[in-house]
Structure formats: structure tokens, C-alpha cells
């Protein structure tokens, strides 16, 4: 993840960091980044509040670390996806 912090735009660095962290990020037409999976899916079923809070904190750290401050992580529970999405701020 460290090498991704020096190349490309902040959003490209964020996408690379998310991929390297085990998420499957996709950007929709509004610029929102949705995570198609949760790397902690097996735990999420049993401990959703803990896992979703952890995912939110991880996403926040990746946003700050990559400088992609035009996005903000929020919880958005959608079946089959990670509970966190990154929305334009």
C-alpha cells in the first residue's frame, strides 16, 4: 500500500490502496466508490457492528493516507457488498 501513495491522483491512489487491502472498489456514475466485497465477510455475519465500524475506520485512514479528501466514507448497508461506501464530499 505504501508505494501506491506516491503515484497518480489521490483517488487513483485510494482505489489502489482499497484493492491492495482486499476490497473490490468500483466507481459509479456519481463518483461514489462502492466496495463489492468485505474482506471480513465471515466475521461480519456474526459481528456486524464491530466489522462495519472497523471497515469505516480503515476507509477513513485510507482516504487520509492517500489524500483523497474529496471523498468521505459512510455506512450504507447493501446486501452482497461492504457496508462502507465512499461518497463525494
Amino acid at each position: 500500500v505504501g508505494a501506491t501513495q506516491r503515484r497518480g491522483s489521490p483517488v487513483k491512489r485510494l482505489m489502489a490502496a482499497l484493492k491492495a487491502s482486499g476490497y473490490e472498489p468500483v466507481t459509479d456514475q456519481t463518483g461514489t466508490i462502492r466496495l463489492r466485497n468485505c474482506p471480513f465477510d465471515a466475521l461480519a455475519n456474526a459481528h456486524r457492528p464491530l466489522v462495519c465500524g472497523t471497515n469505516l475506520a480503515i476507509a477513513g485512514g485510507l482516504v487520509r493516507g492517500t489524500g483523497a479528501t474529496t471523498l468521505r466514507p459512510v455506512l450504507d448497508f447493501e446486501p452482497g457488498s461492504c457496508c462502507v461506501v465512499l461518497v463525494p464530499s
Side-chain angles (χ1 to χ4, degrees), residues 25-78:
V26 294
T27 305
D28 70 15
Q29 310 87 318
T30 68
T32 296
I33 298 173
R34 297 197 173 274
L35 306 174
R36 291 186 292 187
N37 72 314
C38 173
F40 312 107
D41 190 52
L43 287 173
N45 292 327
H47 306 284
R48 190 158 310 279
L50 175 65
V51 172
C52 291
T54 300
N55 277 324
L56 187 62
I58 290 169
L62 291 175
V63 164
R64 287 186 301 279
T66 60
T69 55
T70 59
L71 295 162
R72 108 185 123 80
V74 297
L75 292 176
D76 181 20
F77 301 99
E78 188 174 304

